[in-house]
Amino acid sequence: MVSKPLGRAIVVIAAVLIGGQVTAQDTGGRPLAPTVPGEGSTADHSKFEVLKGPFASGPEVTKACLSCHTEADDQVMHSIHWSWSYDNATTGQTLGKKNVVNAFCGNVASNEARCTSCHTGYGWEDVRGANTMSGERVDCLACHDRSGNYTKLDNAAGHPPLEPLKAGAKTITGASAWVVDLAMAAQSVGKPGRDNCGSCHFYGGGGDNVKHGDLSSALISPAPSVDVHMSPETGNFTCESCHLSDKHVFAGSRYNLNAHDLGGTGRPGERRDVATCESCHSAEPHGASLIGMKLNDHVERVACQTCHIPTFAKGGVATKTMWDWSTAGELKDGKPFHEENFTQSDGKQLHTYLSTKGDFEWGEDVVPHYAWFDGQVEYTLPDDRIDPTGVVEVNRLSGSADDPGSRIWPFKRMEGRQAYDTQLNTFVYTQVYGPQTASAFWTNFDWEKSIKAAMDYVGQPYSGEFDFVDTYMYWPITHMVAPADEALQCDSCHARNARLAGITGVYIPGSTLPVAGKLGLVMLALAALAVMGHGVLRLMGRGKGGSHHG
Amino acid sequence: MAERCVKVYSRFNRLWHWSQVASIFLLLFSGARIMGLHSVLPFGLAVMVHSFGALALLLLWAFATFWLFTTGAWKQYLPTQAGLWQVMRFYAWGVFRGEPHPYRKVLWRKHNPLQAMAYLALKIVLFPGIWITGLIYLTHGFWQTLDKGGFWIEAVANLHILAAFAIASFVIVHVYLLTIGGFRAHVRPMVTGFDMIDLTAEQEAYLQENEPDRLREPRHAAHPAE
């Protein structure tokens, strides 16, 4: 670990923890998690005997939960949150965290205890094959704790910090760990808040907003300009307001998006399978005026997000935009070192070099990359051949102007430089985490050993020769929706060299001078020259011109 | 034959002409903005001005077309070869030598043959061209699902732009020709409605008897060069 941009809330937590021991039933001045709107349960979980504790481990709490919620574990274990595996019926690819290689930490396999710290379970220490863990290993509290006291260690395969706590232990958000009070957490349970989902999803890739760009701790309590839906001052949405769940399976997917929702709104309770803008705002969201009509015409070809999320990584939390693994491993006096040459708008210094991870670049208020997108993302999987002579796309966006299902979408385009097998032309797995091993890169700073150990672990062929290749990875941008009056103006695209300059297959008035415009200007110039020439000849003529037709 | 100062442009005729002038300038200006030739207005405002300006002009054209046919004024624009050659020769040669304009306005024909032909082309080619492509363009939302890849909208937009530039070129030549023989003298009839026309004795007698308001004494010499 870790670049450690922490959320404001977490900074407060850390400060308090450094200041004094936290006792049971005391949040120690830790800010309470924002309340979930519409929460009016008929059960007060603090009155259940079975939740009084004491609990010695996470699974003990789960056992208590399951004594009433008899099907909950089975439901969770049928979700991607549990399996980290996803069969895309459209492309035939098997995706999911445990199967793909990404442009950030690379791969889960062989780095388990660190990566699976964010798994919605306890003790997933080997991701090879299917996740066969049983019901009591489901982590209910990660999503349902409403005390703010529960968390998970960053390297214990999903377990929370308990006694005895090792010195320097960190949580999955990068904060200094505290001993969680499992009984307090168990009695606080409720619907997930932004902070619950965020404790994993805001910190993907090893730090706050590193991965997605539009998911950061800024969304725990955002200003309306950062996210008009999630701001407590406006919509106060939780993640689940849009990502509706049914039997612990959530709407919305980054692998298989609904890029062009023609269904629009439904009657109350009708649609529980969508997390699109249209499912609330309809497919004709703009007003009944000429400008509204023109804007509604755009909906056919332009995703809502394209205009309504002018920039991402808002609210003072930067996102990682470039990660070059090839420079990792440099040491000073035999010791790893770090540089911090990026200053975030809150004054925080972010890592731009780590011996463990290589070079980084960061961005705040980033203008997205735009592309035609039909919702399908195809990955370059570890057994797919790559062409190392160019930039390799870790994931490819499917879609084109000719396809009615495609629209112009905004993306975070992550630039990477990742290890690959120079003989087989495939991405390689790397083992980076493993304090006790003789092969993990973060301990030994030796790529040869790291790659060999990881490839042996997953049983994939490896020639023994590697190098690094430039990569792109695309992340659809759909959060951090701005208030309507901060949406893009027409001129943002309808101008020369504007935002959609790289997009083809759609006529964007004003973006270029069309052929007829060039011909027309020539015609106009010829007309002007002709009358000027005629006028000059008249002046040179003997008289001042004759009479005219009147 | 006597040259008299006769009202040839009715009030509606003049209103139509000058409204059309204003709308065409507004549309050329806002259209150029949409195309990206200048950025005096924000794009969205230019689209609104252009769309509403165009709809207003279409309404005016609807009235004007009705007027042309009910009053018989459409006959002014019938093409004729009589005198055409002389007018063409005048603009290409005689005008440089100070010759007088060969065409003499008569009561039932206020445009010279070349002028009538140019106006007819404007009315049956360029104006329908611009408003048909404009309406197709404006209603893109209703047919865009048939146009994946955007070929047809681009074709329509290009035709629209070409027609617009042709109209702009017409405006340049039209205004220039007013300078031949005195700009003010040529513009005045479209302001006051009165122009110097050769009347036959019968026409003069008819007007004096039945439409005396259409005749008046000239306040200015209409053709100082003569």
Side-chain angles (χ1 to χ4, degrees), chain A residues 260 290-291 293-294 296-301 401-406 490-491 494-496 505-507 509-521 523-524 527-528 530-550, chain B residues 9 33-37 41-44 47-48 51-52 90-92 95-101 103 105 110 112 115 137-138 140-142 144-145 148-150 153-154 157-158 161-162 165-166 168-169 172-173 176-181 186 189 195 223 225-226:
Chain A
H260 192 178
L290 186 65
I291 197 87
M293 186 185 104
K294 278 284 147 201
N296 283 339
D297 291 351
H298 284 65
V299 171
E300 184 72 18
R301 305 269 64 191
D402 300 323
D403 163 35
S406 295
C490 309
D491 312 71
H494 292 279
R496 308 280 192 261
V506 62
Y507 180 68
S511 64
T512 53
L513 187 62
V515 179
K518 290 171 191 159
L519 286 175
L521 284 172
M523 187 198 307
L524 205 61
V531 300
M532 279 192 288
H534 198 269
V536 168
L537 285 175
R538 269 167 61 209
L539 285 176
M540 286 161 51
R542 278 184 294 174
K544 281 189 171 182
S547 69
H548 188 230
H549 51 67
Chain B
Y9 296 111
R33 167 64 189 96
I34 293 167
M35 211 193 317
L37 293 181
L41 306 172
F43 185 91
V47 169
M48 290 300 97
S51 304
F52 283 112
F90 169 74
Y91 286 122
V95 67
F96 306 127
R97 305 174 60 84
E99 289 174 12
H101 199 288
Y103 185 71
K105 289 181 186 180
K110 48 196 176 193
N112 76 49
Q115 193 183 9
Y137 198 147
L138 187 65
H140 176 235
F142 297 107
Q144 62 172 332
T145 49
K148 292 301 169 195
I153 183 65
E154 192 160 357
N158 274 285
I161 289 166
L162 215 51
F165 273 106
S169 305
I172 286 182
V173 175
Y176 169 74
L177 289 177
L178 294 176
T179 66
I180 299 180
H186 283 316
D195 200 1
H223 296 287
E226 288 180 12

Side-chain angles (χ1 to χ4, degrees), chain A residues 137-157:
Chain A
R137 306 277 284 275
V138 170
D139 182 352
C140 305
L141 292 176
C143 308
H144 293 287
D145 164 64
R146 297 302 303 142
S147 69
N149 182 279
Y150 185 78
T151 185
K152 287 152 93 78
L153 281 168
D154 73 355
N155 59 359

Side-chain angles (χ1 to χ4, degrees), chain B residues 101-131:
Chain B
H101 199 288
Y103 185 71
R104 306 292 297 170
K105 289 181 186 180
V106 290
L107 189 58
W108 56 272
R109 190 95 190 176
K110 48 196 176 193
H111 309 307
N112 76 49
L114 187 63
Q115 193 183 9
M117 204 175 279
Y119 293 175
L120 183 67
L122 192 68
K123 283 178 200 305
I124 66 171
V125 179
L126 288 185
F127 285 170
I130 199 109
W131 66 253

Side-chain angles (χ1 to χ4, degrees), chain A residues 85-99:
Chain A
S85 185
Y86 174 76
D87 288 315
N88 189 331
T90 314
T91 62
Q93 286 192 316
T94 300
L95 305 176
K97 279 186 183 305
K98 82 187 184 81
N99 302 310

Side-chain angles (χ1 to χ4, degrees), chain B residues 80-90 101-103 112-114:
Chain B
T80 174
Q81 284 197 340
L84 182 63
W85 168 247
Q86 286 88 327
V87 173
M88 284 166 65
R89 186 196 161 278
F90 169 74
H101 199 288
Y103 185 71
N112 76 49
L114 187 63

